[in-house]
């Protein structure tokens, strides 16, 4: 039986894409929204069985305040957080606020669906490897936090960074080719190389990874010279 759910994420493209994928699997999506504020109001008013709540900053103070309010006013709603590779503080904050699960943003749709079903059943939905990683970090803390956005920038050429930004903006192969002044076949090759280097299987996963790791914000602040790279939100030329 399908789950009645809501998908809430500040990145509308990700929220709507995830909602569409879950609809195809027989789930009833009450809403797919991208509010910068008011997430709790939306969930409290619609009262789904499960809320998938995306966040790019799980360790930031107050980021899980909406979860606490949802659990206070609608305790029957199971909240599953979708976020980056979490720090121990991030996992602790999510569950302390009342979350029923934590799923990495680059998890495949099967994993998201399993987490939803477990959360609806009242079980804790978190992969053992996430907990193992959290404990490992607690026992052996890094001297400095890993800058995932910088790591991605180092993996990709400036041209590939431009392609990734355009993918995250929702551009298809034709628009990427037109915006960059290249042939569609060349654009398709660039996209495949980006997916391969990032270790993801789809454009949606690549877009999620770029958004969650702060790469889009980094590019907006400091675009690579000579690429014609559009800042997030600029769209195709």
């Amino acid at each position: 039986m399908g789950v009645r759910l809501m998908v809430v994420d500040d990145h509308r493209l990700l929220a709507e894409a995830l909602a569409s994928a879950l609809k195809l699997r027989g789930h009833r999506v009450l809403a797919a929204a991208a509010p910068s504020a008011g997430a709790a109001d939306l969930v409290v008013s619609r009262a789904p069985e499960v809320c998938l709540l995306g966040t790019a900053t799980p360790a930031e103070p107050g980021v899980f305040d909406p979860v606490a309010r949802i659990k206070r006013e609608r305790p029957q709603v199971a909240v599953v957080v979708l976020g980056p590779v979490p720090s121990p503080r991030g996992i602790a904050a999510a569950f302390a606020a009342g979350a029923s699960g934590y799923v990495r943003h680059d998890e495949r749709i099967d994993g998201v669906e399993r987490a939803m079903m477990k959360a609806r059943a009242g079980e804790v939905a978190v992969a053992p490897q996430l907990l193992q990683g959290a404990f490992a970090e607690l026992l052996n803390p890094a001297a400095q936090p890993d800058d995932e956005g910088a790591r991605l920038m180092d993996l990709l050429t400036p041209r590939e960074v431009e392609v990734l930004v355009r993918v995250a903006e929702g551009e298809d192969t034709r628009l990427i080719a037109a915006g960059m002044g290249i042939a569609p076949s060349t654009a398709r090759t660039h996209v495949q190389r980006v997916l391969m280097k990032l270790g993801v299987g789809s454009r949606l996963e690549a877009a999620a990874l770029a958004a969650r790791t702060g790469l889009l914000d980094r590019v907006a602040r400091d675009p690579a010279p000579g690429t014609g790279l559009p800042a997030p939100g600029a769209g195709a030329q």
Side-chain angles (χ1 to χ4, degrees):
M1 184 173 130
V3 176
R4 287 174 44 252
L5 70 129
M6 293 179 60
V7 184
V8 179
D9 194 296
D10 281 340
H11 297 277
R12 182 172 296 278
L13 170 67
L14 304 184
E16 292 180 352
L18 180 56
S20 296
L22 291 169
K23 283 180 182 177
L24 291 175
R25 288 173 170 256
H27 301 289
R28 182 185 173 195
V29 180
L30 303 182
S36 57
D41 290 332
L42 191 61
V43 176
V44 167
S45 67
R46 301 299 295 271
E49 292 178 298
V50 175
C51 170
L52 298 177
L53 179 67
T55 178
T57 55
E60 184 175 309
V63 73
F64 294 122
D65 288 351
V67 179
R69 184 185 160 201
I70 291 167
K71 297 306 295 183
R72 185 171 62 250
E73 299 189 25
R74 294 283 188 180
Q76 74 276 20
V77 176
V79 180
V80 176
V81 174
L82 304 178
V85 179
S87 67
R89 186 171 61 179
I91 284 187
F95 283 98
S100 299
Y102 193 109
V103 178
R104 282 179 50 161
H105 62 79
D106 56 355
E107 178 63 78
R108 295 188 180 278
I109 191 68
D110 290 344
V112 175
E113 189 175 38
R114 284 194 298 271
M116 287 165 36
M117 303 300 286
K118 290 184 70 174
R120 184 178 68 171
E123 302 176 35
V124 174
V126 59
Q129 58 266 33
L130 286 187
L131 291 179
Q132 290 168 2
F135 281 121
E137 186 176 333
L138 284 172
L139 293 173
N140 302 287
Q144 294 183 355
D146 179 40
D147 187 338
E148 192 70 2
R151 186 184 69 82
L152 293 184
M153 291 283 279
D154 289 340
L155 276 178
L156 305 175
T157 67
R159 201 69 160 161
E160 290 165 349
V161 171
E162 179 174 357
V163 169
L164 178 57
V165 171
R166 290 181 180 276
V167 166
E169 286 293 302
E171 294 186 13
D172 59 18
T173 301
R174 179 182 57 82
L175 287 175
I176 292 172
M180 297 178 66
I182 57 179
S185 59
T186 303
R188 194 173 299 110
T189 298
H190 281 315
V191 171
Q192 291 304 315
R193 285 177 178 168
V194 168
L195 299 185
M196 180 182 67
K197 285 187 176 183
L198 297 183
V200 297
S202 69
R203 296 182 183 217
L204 175 60
E205 289 178 286
L209 193 59
R212 305 285 188 205
T213 58
L215 183 140
L216 299 184
D217 293 335
R218 175 181 289 273
V219 170
R221 292 193 309 267
D222 186 23
T227 62
L229 191 65
Q237 300 298 317

